[in-house]
Amino acid sequence: MLLIDGKETALAIRAELADEVSAACGQGRRAPGLAVILVGEDPASQVYVRNKERACAAAGILSFPFHLPAQTSQRDLLALIRQCNARPDVDGILLQLPLPQGLDAQACLLAIDPEKDVDGFHPENVGRLSLGLPGFVSCTPAGVMELLRRYDLSPSGKKAVVVGRSDIVGRPLAMLLARPGAYADATVTICHSRTADLAGECRSADFLFLAVGRPGFVTGSMVREGAVVIDVGISRTPQGLCGDADFATVAPRARGITPVPGGVGPMTIAMLLKNTVQSWRGRSA
């Protein structure tokens, strides 16, 4: 059984980005810049933002933090986003979700310049993904695809089942898997709460992607022998962090599996950095 190590892979990606940025800055180019907007005092969001800011620093990316009180108005938040859109030293804008009650997250995401939408949430980038055009891809699905490439696990011509249909993971991941390419070209089924025979669908998968946020939801009896299992889910339980797969029963049946923690999670931040560098790369020095 192959343990697909997202932590080590993410560190390798971050080192590659740091080398690229260092070389360019050594030739006189400005460093990439990421605006990080956090509204309110949500503890989990604060941890996520700190981790992202540290990752930026390690990769040579300037982090411009905007930590706003929970009472911030929609008007003021939109004004800040417009300012970041206009700043030439800002290559990417990260709006940490969820926002406090009373703020319209969708309107704020729509206000972000699609060319600085390094989270890949703007409808223009989602549309580009659906059409197979270049653009920013949501970081978690992009991280999953990067793991497949780096571990040489090709779903081409295989049956891929995605359990979960969220806008930021399930649906974009399904589109990426169905695109033409060496590490795509899969026959994709999306499953969800209304799927009639979920266990049967999971057992039919050569590649099984789990993204529902229900700890231990998929057990070994639901997994085909020799399947590749990519567990995107993460839940906090009395026993600690765990994924959507019951690791103890699923891992012995899998050809390869991502652990939780240490699997897809670290890849999400790595791909955020990669998207920021991609944006910076396409701009003038």
Side-chain angles (χ1 to χ4, degrees):
M1 186 272 294
L2 173 66
L3 190 67
I4 303 167
D5 191 334
K7 185 176 180 180
E8 286 299 317
T9 306
L11 287 173
I13 293 169
R14 288 160 61 168
E16 292 164 9
L17 296 173
D19 288 346
E20 178 182 349
V21 171
S22 177
C25 291
Q27 296 176 356
R29 183 165 186 180
R30 68 166 177 84
L34 176 67
V36 181
I37 303 173
L38 172 64
V39 186
E41 306 296 330
D42 180 73
S45 292
Q46 289 178 328
V47 171
Y48 295 148
V49 165
R50 280 198 299 272
N51 290 340
K52 290 167 184 175
E53 290 173 348
R54 290 192 193 108
C56 283
I61 297 171
L62 297 177
S63 180
F64 304 119
F66 297 94
H67 297 176
L68 308 178
Q71 297 76 25
T72 298
S73 68
Q74 182 83 8
R75 178 179 178 180
D76 288 345
L77 182 52
L78 289 171
L80 174 59
I81 292 171
R82 287 193 294 270
Q83 290 170 20
C84 293
N85 284 340
R87 283 180 56 166
D89 58 342
V90 170
D91 300 291
I93 300 171
L94 167 67
L95 177 63
Q96 182 65 43
L97 301 177
L99 295 177
Q101 190 173 2
L103 293 174
D104 185 341
Q106 189 62 38
C108 293
L109 293 173
L110 285 169
I112 295 173
D113 182 346
E115 294 186 359
K116 296 187 178 186
D117 168 41
V118 290
D119 259 332
F121 292 164
H122 194 284
E124 180 171 324
N125 283 316
V126 176
R128 286 180 166 275
L129 171 61
S130 70
L131 295 172
L133 298 174
F136 294 115
V137 177
S138 183
C139 299
T140 299
V144 169
M145 299 304 291
E146 191 71 17
L147 282 175
L148 296 181
R149 283 190 288 271
R150 295 200 178 223
Y151 276 86
D152 194 25
L153 295 167
S154 175
S156 179
K158 306 292 187 180
K159 173 71 177 291
V161 172
V162 179
V163 184
R165 54 179 170 179
S166 72
D167 293 336
I168 62 175
V169 179
R171 286 196 280 184
L173 178 56
M175 286 191 283
L176 288 167
L177 290 164
R179 290 171 92 172
Y183 293 95
D185 271 326
T187 299
V188 183
T189 298
I190 301 178
C191 295
H192 46 77
S193 60
R194 301 300 294 273
T195 298
D197 182 12
L198 180 59
E201 292 290 351
C202 290
R203 279 191 295 271
S204 74
D206 301 298
F207 284 74
L208 181 59
F209 302 87
L210 307 176
V212 291
R214 294 176 62 181
F217 178 64
V218 170
T219 61
S221 65
M222 299 169 67
V223 176
R224 172 188 287 185
E225 187 80 33
V228 174
V229 180
I230 306 295
D231 193 348
V232 182
I234 186 164
S235 301
R236 190 176 299 278
T237 71
Q239 293 74 38
L241 296 176
C242 65
D244 290 345
D246 176 39
F247 193 89
T249 61
V250 171
R253 298 183 59 80
R255 174 162 67 101
I257 188 170
T258 54
V260 178
V264 176
M267 294 296 294
T268 299
I269 293 181
M271 301 313 290
L272 173 70
L273 303 182
K274 188 170 184 178
N275 281 349
T276 302
V277 171
Q278 175 188 326
S279 176
W280 165 78
R281 196 185 292 131
R283 297 173 189 276
S284 60

